Amino acid sequence: MSHLQLLDTYFSQHRSQHLEELFEFLSIPSISSLSEHKSDMVHAANWLANALKKLNIENVSIDETKGHPVVYGEWLHAEGKPTILFYGHYDVQPVDPLNLWDSEPFQPEIRDNKLYARGASDDKGQVFMHLKMIEALFATEGTLPVNVKFIYEGEEEIGSPNLPAYVEANKEKLAADIILISDTGLYAPGKPAVCYGLRGLTGVQINVRGAKSDLHSGLYGGGVQNAIHALAEILASFRDKHGKILVEGFYDNVLPLTEEERQAYQELNFDEEALKEEIGVDELFGESGFSYLEQTWARPTLEVNGVFGGFSGEGIKTVLPAEAGAKITCRLVPNQDPDEIVSLLRQHIEKHKPAGVDITIAEFDKGAPFLTPFDHPVIQAAGRSYEKIYQVPTAFIRGGGSIPIVASFDQILGLPVVLMGFGLNSENFHAPNEHFHLENFDKGLRVLGDYLHEIAKTTF
């Protein structure tokens, strides 16, 4: 029997047992952002560590950080073969609003072949698949085709504040040939995708101050600067009517798409009409000269996320607001540096500051963009494994969002990152009724098992 036949038999025979174990993992309310769940975070870390030990993974440890612990383990007995470093996270988002859940978020339920629970898709369900795939390979072959290491953190949902320092301090321990992450999704139902790039993120808050207090608009209007008008003038200066960003130097280091990438995106036949209907708009808007997928995957953005100031209660209050502000974030693409972009934003705001106001700028957390070339052998190997199981061509895509720790792995360890996810955008991660399609759980186990065999015979 082939390794895929052996895996298929094993997973079919042990499916009920595996789901029971996953229920146990999902029942732990490991919410990293809420201090009252600190003991649950420890519980989840211990659960993972024990699961690794049951697999005969060696040197398993629960490593303390300034926040929640990191779980580590390794098996390094495939002499002469590559090493894969598996990453995932065991923390989950809060569950509010609880009244919108159709079942208890930490009491897993299966309905219509979908597993409902907080963390089912993001990311406990996908982390669990790593473990069961390793279990199946040991059970069916007695060994692994490659070396493996595991690093599972408990702070991804709060921005991984302590993981970069941990990675930097443990570079030798974490040395590998590939980093594999299952925390992304398929392109569409039944359509697998390897995500080979993510946008970075940076942002600022602009605080505008005019007079020392709000002023009566009848007494002062027309003679004193209005903080909201000043803010609106600054915001309007950021982009032209076609969506082009007007901050000087903003595009200077943008890595352009290759013709092969543009062709690959075009062949996905993205349905813009269906998108418009789904989100309830008459037309889309974006930077001229680029398709929607190019705009959202491979072009940088500057978006106003919130505006505040003045009177917003019922009726009207005739004042000149003394204060106003806005929150702005930029999604960044390869070769753009978050610190440099913030510097360019500061220069632009200073250049366009209206008379009669003072402006202060507060910076938000930053994350660098990431890219592994989509023709890299380890990326293409992932595509082959998906295709064997899903029986359709694999899409090679970039993600419009950001996972800051991915860029940190890339920068600190200097390894190709392979994002092999099995979720779907419709699975309500971060929202009530989070769920995971068990069809993709079943197929994903087999894809991951095959990928280890593909890497064992791939030259890179």
Side-chain angles (χ1 to χ4, degrees):
M1 295 176 70
S2 70
H3 68 266
L4 275 176
Q5 290 172 319
L6 290 170
L7 287 172
D8 187 65
T9 299
Y10 185 84
F11 288 131
S12 297
Q13 292 176 344
H14 293 80
R15 189 174 190 265
S16 296
Q17 174 192 334
H18 289 166
L19 287 176
E20 287 178 11
E21 293 174 18
L22 178 53
F23 275 35
E24 183 181 302
F25 190 26
L26 292 170
S27 70
I28 305 170
S30 50
I31 303 172
S32 54
S33 62
L34 300 179
S35 59
E36 60 262 36
H37 287 282
K38 186 173 182 179
S39 62
D40 297 313
M41 297 300 297
V42 174
H43 184 188
N46 281 317
W47 192 97
L48 262 182
N50 289 331
L52 288 171
K53 291 175 183 176
K54 289 176 184 176
L55 298 175
N56 293 319
I57 300 302
E58 300 167 347
N59 298 318
V60 175
S61 61
I62 299 175
D63 299 337
E64 296 301 322
T65 71
K66 292 181 180 178
H68 301 302
V70 169
V71 179
Y72 175 82
E74 63 186 28
W75 184 90
L76 304 175
H77 300 290
E79 186 175 350
K81 295 298 184 180
T83 299
I84 298 179
L85 174 62
F86 288 87
Y87 162 84
H89 62 93
Y90 62 86
D91 64 323
V92 300
Q93 284 279 328
V95 298
D96 306 278
L98 189 58
N99 64 299
L100 296 183
W101 286 78
D102 294 329
S103 55
E104 290 295 321
F106 295 108
Q107 295 178 16
E109 286 189 8
I110 295 175
R111 304 193 297 273
D112 300 323
N113 205 34
K114 302 171 190 173
L115 173 56
Y116 286 81
R118 174 58 88 225
S121 179
D122 180 22
D123 181 37
K124 285 183 176 178
Q126 301 200 59
V127 163
F128 184 80
M129 291 165 66
H130 295 170
L131 307 180
K132 296 300 107 176
M133 175 269 295
I134 296 295
E135 175 187 294
L137 287 173
F138 274 132
T140 57
E141 301 177 29
T143 188
L144 301 180
V146 297
N147 301 293
V148 294
K149 296 181 178 181
F150 303 88
I151 175 173
Y152 294 127
E153 69 157 323
E155 297 185 330
E156 195 276 342
E157 297 293 6
I158 55 175
S160 303
N162 295 297
L163 194 59
Y166 175 89
V167 174
E168 185 71 48
N170 292 277
K171 285 193 288 189
E172 184 174 344
K173 176 175 165 177
L174 299 173
D177 298 290
I178 306 165
I179 301 171
L180 191 149
I181 299 173
S182 299
D183 193 17
T184 52
L186 307 179
Y187 176 68
K191 179 67 171 177
V194 179
C195 182
Y196 65 94
L198 296 168
R199 292 195 290 191
L201 180 68
T202 194
V204 300
Q205 178 171 311
I206 305 171
N207 300 302
V208 179
R209 179 81 198 195
K212 62 183 180 181
S213 65
D214 291 353
L215 300 175
H216 191 292
S217 65
L219 296 176
Y220 297 97
V224 177
Q225 180 67 274
N226 181 316
I228 293 180
H229 284 288
L231 175 65
E233 187 176 331
I234 294 170
L235 299 181
S237 74
F238 282 130
R239 301 195 317 190
D240 69 14
K241 63 180 180 180
H242 302 294
K244 181 181 179 181
I245 297 167
L246 301 177
V247 175
E248 187 174 349
F250 190 87
Y251 294 106
D252 284 358
N253 295 320
V254 169
L255 182 68
L257 283 162
T258 66
E259 286 304 314
E260 290 80 8
E261 287 176 296
R262 300 193 82 168
Q263 180 65 29
Y265 297 173
Q266 185 176 345
E267 290 173 358
L268 291 173
N269 296 316
F270 181 76
D271 190 341
E272 293 191 359
E273 293 304 316
L275 174 66
K276 287 189 283 188
E277 182 176 350
E278 177 187 344
I279 64 177
V281 298
D282 294 329
E283 59 182 299
L284 301 175
F285 173 84
E287 186 184 0
S288 299
F290 299 92
S291 69
Y292 177 81
L293 292 183
E294 291 169 350
Q295 290 164 349
T296 56
W297 288 352
R299 297 297 294 172
T301 68
L302 188 156
E303 300 286 353
V304 179
N305 307 121
V307 178
F308 51 92
F311 177 72
S312 58
E314 184 178 357
I316 192 167
K317 184 179 182 183
T318 56
V319 296
L320 301 181
E323 295 180 294
K327 297 179 185 291
I328 294 169
T329 54
C330 299
R331 297 286 178 175
L332 308 179
V333 298
N335 291 359
Q336 285 187 301
D337 178 76
D339 290 322
E340 182 181 1
I341 294 300
V342 169
S343 178
L344 294 176
L345 291 176
R346 287 182 176 276
Q347 293 172 34
H348 180 90
I349 293 166
E350 182 62 31
K351 181 178 178 181
H352 292 82
K353 182 180 76 171
V357 293
D358 292 320
I359 295 176
T360 58
I361 298 169
E363 299 181 16
F364 298 138
D365 291 341
K366 306 178 183 74
F370 137 78
L371 182 72
T372 296
F374 90 112
D375 57 355
H376 194 291
V378 301
I379 298 291
Q380 293 300 311
R384 292 193 296 273
S385 291
Y386 273 119
E387 289 180 21
K388 290 177 192 176
I389 306 304
Y390 281 86
Q391 297 294 299
V392 296
T394 301
F396 296 93
I397 67 174
R398 297 196 200 183
S402 305
I403 308 177
I405 193 57
V406 173
S408 296
F409 279 133
D410 181 41
Q411 294 166 348
I412 298 170
L413 299 179
L415 303 176
V417 180
V418 182
L419 297 169
M420 293 183 71
F422 301 93
L424 289 170
N425 289 340
S426 61
E427 289 179 335
N428 288 19
F429 41 86
H430 292 207
N433 296 314
E434 179 180 350
H435 57 279
F436 193 16
H437 286 68
L438 290 179
E439 174 189 2
N440 294 320
F441 172 79
D442 294 329
K443 289 182 176 179
L445 288 166
R446 293 154 174 83
V447 170
L448 290 167
D450 183 73
Y451 185 62
L452 267 62
H453 279 277
E454 281 287 341
I455 288 301
K457 62 185 181 183
T458 297
T459 300
F460 56 96

